[in-house]
Amino acid sequence: MNAAPQTPDPRPALARATEQLAELLDGLRPGQLDAPTPCAEFDVRALLGHVTGVADRFANLGEGGSVVGPGVPEWAAGLPAGDWPDTYRRARERLLAAWRDDARLEAVVTAPWGTVPGRIALSGCVMETVVHGWDLARALGRDPGLAPEPAALALATAERAVPAGSRAHIPFDEARPVPADAGVHERLAAWLGRDPHWSPGTAGRGTGTA
């Protein structure tokens, strides 16, 4: 992704996106961990490991470290359903604290896709958090009411960072068509190769990854 003067401060969107993801975990039941999600590679358990790992890795980046390497797990260990709310909230708090200093937004960091200013890297974290929040909400049947503001930044980031054409070398299926009046979450999901109308009953029909 390339830096652009109009790129907004992604921290408010990140705070809201991580907050609503954390709220989705309240009341998580053991039987839901094996449920499918719109992200074909992940069931709910794997998705929670991934989003917690994303928070930990981008927290490490904000603290001056790397998104890879010793002590920066990509996946959280498998946990019982009742442990996930607190586990994710701790990762969320660390992530938000790591980027509290305004100077981190302009500092050059090495994100998974290249060396960029911090605000660009953090916008990518917003994209990941929002789309996987939608994945989780759909899997749990709780997607109504997701905030549109973080999704708007996530969609702008996705359209800038993920090409519309061939995606042979990136972990997303081709973009799917959506109606002109589709909501921002559906547009984001479709751009990243997901079925914007996915439900647990449609699982297995082929959906976006990553």
Side-chain angles (χ1 to χ4, degrees):
M1 284 183 283
N2 297 320
Q6 68 271 24
T7 301
D9 181 344
R11 293 174 298 183
L14 182 67
R16 185 68 188 98
T18 54
E19 177 185 41
Q20 67 184 7
L21 199 156
E23 290 168 353
L24 288 169
L25 297 179
D26 291 332
L28 183 69
R29 301 188 303 275
Q32 293 175 310
L33 291 175
D34 295 322
T37 78
C39 189
E41 293 185 351
F42 297 150
D43 60 11
V44 167
R45 187 193 314 275
L47 181 65
L48 296 181
H50 179 67
V51 295
T52 303
V54 167
D56 281 334
R57 285 180 287 138
F58 277 88
N60 202 62
L61 192 65
E63 292 164 354
S66 170
V67 290
V68 295
V72 190
E74 183 173 355
W75 301 89
L79 297 171
D83 288 356
W84 279 112
D86 285 345
T87 298
Y88 183 74
R89 282 187 166 90
R90 285 194 297 270
R92 173 184 186 265
E93 289 167 4
R94 181 187 168 210
L95 172 62
L96 298 182
W99 291 90
R100 196 162 288 143
D101 185 350
D102 291 349
R104 296 302 301 157
L105 296 183
E106 311 311 327
V108 175
V109 299
T110 301
W113 48 82
T115 300
V116 293
R119 71 173 61 235
I120 304 300
L122 203 58
S123 295
C125 184
V126 172
M127 183 187 80
E128 283 259 337
T129 303
V130 172
V131 75
H132 285 313
W134 180 85
D135 289 335
L136 180 61
R138 278 292 167 107
L140 300 179
R142 296 174 60 187
D143 61 307
L146 291 176
E149 295 83 5
L153 176 61
L155 178 59
T157 300
E159 290 176 340
R160 197 167 59 238
V162 182
S166 174
R167 297 178 176 180
H169 303 295
I170 59 176
F172 295 100
D173 290 344
E174 291 185 5
R176 296 174 178 236
V178 290
D181 61 351
V184 66
H185 284 92
E186 288 72 27
R187 290 161 57 202
L188 173 65
W191 186 265
L192 294 178
R194 289 153 169 77
D195 176 359
H197 304 297
W198 188 95
S199 69
T202 66
R205 292 193 341 201
T207 54
T209 61

